[in-house]
Amino acid sequence: MKCCFCGNNSSNVVETRRTDDGQIVRRRRECKSCEKRFTTYEAMKPYSLEVIKSDGSVEKFSRDKLVKGVSKACEKRPVDKKKIENVVDSIEATITEDNRDKISTEIIGEMVMERLKELDEVAYMRFASVYRSFEDINSFKKELEHLNSEN
Ligand SMILES: [Zn+2]
């Protein structure tokens, strides 16, 4: 989403609101470059987005499913509902920006992990162990070490 002040291409979503029918999403964004805020109105295409699963089968994108998946990883962790909604909002925003009509569960999984990593390490590891099939125990260990070295 291009900043209308400086033309920079990346922005953070500060706030997301939906119209009553859920078809139009209004987002308040902050430019990562000049830090000015602007508003975008995006038409959601929830019924046209298809998710390609790892076995090759295709299903309709479900926001509820995504919320459930993220919530499960955050169980008993200090991550409230609002933060989980924000994670899902930000993923939906990215998909909308990319103008995709198909997306693989793998890419969605990566997007979730990217965001959980910043939010809660335990939730991140839980999610990662389910969604990313670590090739072997060593790559799992490496990931752990990588996490620890970031602290
Ligand atoms: Zn800007």
Side-chain angles (χ1 to χ4, degrees):
M1 208 54 67
K2 217 171 190 173
C3 168
C4 49
F5 300 101
C6 72
N8 179 55
N9 267 323
S10 56
S11 58
N12 290 318
V13 176
V14 187
E15 195 195 352
T16 299
R17 277 193 193 157
R18 255 158 230 277
T19 52
D20 291 337
D21 63 0
Q23 293 302 296
I24 305 286
V25 179
R26 173 189 171 276
R27 292 189 213 279
R28 198 76 188 127
R29 293 169 179 273
E30 188 181 276
C31 174
K32 281 185 186 170
S33 172
C34 69
E35 291 177 3
K36 280 184 183 147
R37 293 189 171 189
F38 57 101
T39 305
T40 56
Y41 294 88
E42 297 155 29
M44 287 298 291
K45 300 180 290 179
Y47 302 110
S48 62
L49 181 67
E50 292 183 323
V51 178
I52 305 156
K53 303 210 287 185
S54 53
D55 63 2
S57 63
V58 173
E59 64 178 33
K60 298 261 179 263
F61 174 77
S62 156
R63 181 188 162 88
D64 288 349
K65 244 187 196 177
L66 193 52
V67 171
K68 269 182 206 155
V70 177
S71 305
K72 205 172 173 194
C74 296
E75 227 165 47
K76 290 180 185 149
R77 297 298 305 162
V79 182
D80 60 26
K81 234 180 165 176
K82 180 92 193 114
K83 281 183 185 160
I84 293 170
E85 290 283 335
N86 284 344
V87 165
V88 175
D89 281 341
S90 138
I91 291 170
E92 275 192 326
T94 306
I95 296 172
T96 311
E97 270 167 42
D98 290 353
N99 243 324
R100 290 169 182 272
D101 51 11
K102 282 190 178 67
I103 192 162
S104 68
T105 48
E106 214 183 326
I107 294 174
I108 296 179
E110 293 289 334
M111 288 183 189
V112 173
M113 283 188 272
E114 209 177 278
R115 288 158 178 86
L116 282 184
K117 208 170 182 173
E118 289 170 16
L119 219 57
D120 187 272
E121 278 185 12
V122 174
Y124 163 71
M125 288 311 292
R126 276 187 198 155
F127 193 90
S129 66
V130 174
Y131 274 81
R132 180 188 287 168
S133 42
F134 287 100
E135 272 138 44
D136 52 55
I137 193 71
N138 283 330
S139 57
F140 191 78
K141 271 188 196 157
K142 249 185 229 160
E143 189 69 29
L144 268 179
E145 279 160 18
H146 184 65
L147 268 182
N148 291 335
S149 67
E150 278 176 1
N151 292 332

